[in-house]
């Protein structure tokens, strides 16, 4: 025997309402139509499914059994439809967004949340990438958007770019500790003290070491971690000094902050557009770019301290 799913839904609605009239109202059927469908359902089952009374209806033992299995069937059908739906919505390839560790730990998650909610048919593939790799992939058409540092390599790439936010570096340490009374230090001065840092393969760590060159001072890292939030927390606890983007510093947190005076510490983030051809992707890429701008502006407002410029991301 074969049961119609709509009839099963109607039957469950009737049981929930306690009357055929109430069940019919739920599915926008007339009472005669609903009654006819119940009779057809009972004919298919071969047994009575409802006990009809003055005050409504209640299920027979067979009706109770049918209701239990009907719920299972409808739940499995919903799961099946959900599983298949993702393959039928959009055949467009996912957008590709590249950026450094600070961007990925900063405003990118918020931008993704707002973009994906607003564009349910769009998918985004996100990868952490240093500026040289990001520029190469954008130039070769392997990515749609990238967040890069404004350096010579980025400027000479020929890609379309726009300013996204300041990402200058500062030194942070325990309030009232080594940095007390200091307004700025060079990296050589910072390296005279124990540090906490990011993992060796992180984009910020590698960018700093690239700018320090072969004559970089020897640094003692008491520990290294993967995330900027953990890094700032360790510095605030007095474990060691840390070099971080200013935008990661909460102005309300008890923490001493000093400028990092090396010229390379002044950084600007750029939003770079890939060289992919094809107008079919233009609208979705432009929309993702706008969500990145909005998230970056929002983060700047959150982290702006008294008279201090707010920074957004680091690569």
């Amino acid at each position: 025997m074969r049961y119609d799913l709509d009839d099963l839904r109607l039957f469950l609605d009737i049981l929930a309402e306690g009357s055929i009239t109430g069940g019919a109202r739920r599915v926008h059927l007339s009472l005669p139509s609903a009654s006819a469908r119940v009779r057809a359902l009972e004919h298919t089952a071969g047994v009575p499914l409802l006990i009809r009374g003055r005050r409504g209806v209640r299920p027979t033992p067979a009706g109770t059994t049918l209701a239990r299995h009907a719920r299972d069937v409808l739940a499995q059908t919903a799961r099946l439809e959900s599983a298949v739906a993702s393959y039928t919505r959009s055949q467009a390839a996912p957008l590709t967004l590249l950026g450094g560790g600070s961007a990925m730990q900063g405003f990118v998650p918020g931008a993704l949340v707002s973009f994906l909610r607003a564009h349910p048919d769009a998918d985004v593939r996100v990868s952490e990438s240093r500026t040289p790799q990001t520029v190469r992939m954008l130039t070769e058409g392997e990515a749609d958007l990238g967040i890069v540092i404004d350096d010579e390599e980025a400027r000479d790439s020929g890609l379309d770019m726009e300013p996204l936010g300041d990402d200058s570096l500062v030194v942070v340490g325990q309030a009232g500790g080594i940095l007390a009374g200091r307004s700025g230090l060079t990296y050589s001065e910072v390296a005279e003290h124990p540090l906490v840092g990011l993992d060796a393969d992180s984009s910020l760590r590698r960018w700093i070491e690239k700018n320090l060159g072969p004559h970089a001072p020897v640094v003692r890292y008491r520990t290294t971690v993967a995330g900027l939030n953990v890094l700032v927390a360790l510095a605030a606890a007095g474990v060691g000094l840390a070099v971080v983007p200013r935008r990661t510093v909460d102005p309300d947190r008890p923490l001493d902050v000093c400028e990092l005076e090396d010229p390379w510490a002044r950084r600007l983030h750029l939003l770079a557009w890939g060289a992919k051809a094809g107008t079919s992707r233009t609208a979705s890429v432009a929309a993702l770019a706008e969500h990145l701008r909005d998230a970056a502006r929002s983060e700047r407002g959150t982290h702006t301290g008294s008279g201090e410029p707010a920074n957004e991301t680091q690569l």
Side-chain angles (χ1 to χ4, degrees):
M1 62 185 67
R2 181 176 298 174
Y3 293 96
D4 184 276
L5 294 180
D6 289 336
D7 288 346
L8 293 179
R9 292 188 182 95
L10 172 62
F11 185 69
L12 293 177
D13 285 338
I14 289 171
L15 295 185
E17 292 290 336
S19 72
I20 296 177
T21 301
R25 189 183 305 115
R26 275 195 177 193
V27 294
H28 308 290
L29 286 176
S30 66
L31 178 59
S33 295
S35 297
R37 290 176 63 172
V38 171
R39 287 194 298 271
L41 190 60
E42 289 180 318
H43 177 75
T44 300
V47 292
L49 300 174
L50 294 174
I51 299 173
R52 294 153 173 88
R54 292 182 179 179
R55 297 185 178 181
V57 298
R58 67 180 190 275
T60 64
T64 299
T65 299
L66 178 68
R68 183 173 67 251
H69 289 287
R71 293 187 185 96
D72 291 340
V73 168
L74 293 175
Q76 290 173 3
T77 301
R79 287 194 292 270
L80 173 62
E81 291 173 348
S82 177
V84 175
S86 61
Y87 295 95
T88 61
R89 285 185 192 137
S90 173
Q91 298 301 317
L95 305 180
T96 299
L97 170 65
L98 306 176
S102 173
M104 296 307 169
Q105 296 176 47
F107 63 85
V108 168
L112 287 174
V113 168
S114 61
F115 173 78
L116 292 172
R117 284 178 174 172
H119 300 272
D121 291 333
D123 301 323
V124 184
R125 181 171 53 239
V126 184
S127 299
E128 182 173 338
S129 170
R130 297 171 59 224
T131 289
Q133 180 183 8
T134 298
V135 168
R136 178 186 62 77
M137 292 182 68
L138 289 169
T139 301
E140 295 177 359
E142 298 177 10
D144 298 283
L145 291 170
I147 303 164
V148 301
I149 293 295
D150 182 14
D151 61 12
E152 184 176 353
E153 184 168 8
R155 289 191 295 271
D156 293 343
S157 67
L159 296 169
D160 291 335
M161 298 186 182
E162 61 183 84
L164 193 58
D166 179 61
D167 193 47
S168 297
L169 304 179
V170 295
V171 186
V172 296
Q174 185 179 34
I178 297 169
L179 301 181
R182 301 291 300 269
S183 60
L185 297 88
T186 64
Y187 190 85
S188 295
E189 292 175 301
V190 174
E192 295 174 359
H193 305 279
L195 302 184
V196 289
L198 294 173
D199 293 339
D201 60 349
S202 70
S203 50
L204 176 58
R205 171 91 172 265
R206 294 177 70 175
W207 190 87
I208 292 174
E209 292 173 350
K210 168 190 166 185
N211 280 276
L212 289 172
H215 305 296
V218 178
V219 174
R220 176 196 170 195
Y221 284 110
R222 298 201 62 199
T223 188
T224 58
V225 296
L228 286 165
N229 290 336
V230 177
L231 190 63
V232 173
L234 288 169
V239 176
L241 300 181
V243 175
V244 298
R246 187 194 307 277
R247 62 96 190 152
T248 63
V249 181
D250 184 345
D252 296 325
R253 188 170 201 159
L255 193 72
D256 281 342
V257 182
C258 287
E259 298 291 331
L260 187 60
E261 296 178 338
D262 302 78
W264 49 262
R266 308 277 76 78
R267 311 189 334 155
L268 179 66
H269 255 141
L270 303 174
L271 178 61
W273 295 68
K276 281 189 174 181
T279 57
S280 61
R281 300 174 64 88
T282 300
S284 56
V285 174
L288 178 56
E290 186 59 31
H291 282 265
L292 288 167
R293 296 186 197 102
D294 290 344
R297 284 193 292 266
S298 177
E299 189 184 50
R300 283 202 299 273
T302 300
H303 290 286
T304 301
S306 56
E308 297 285 2
N311 301 350
E312 289 175 50
T313 42
Q314 134 231 329
L315 213 58

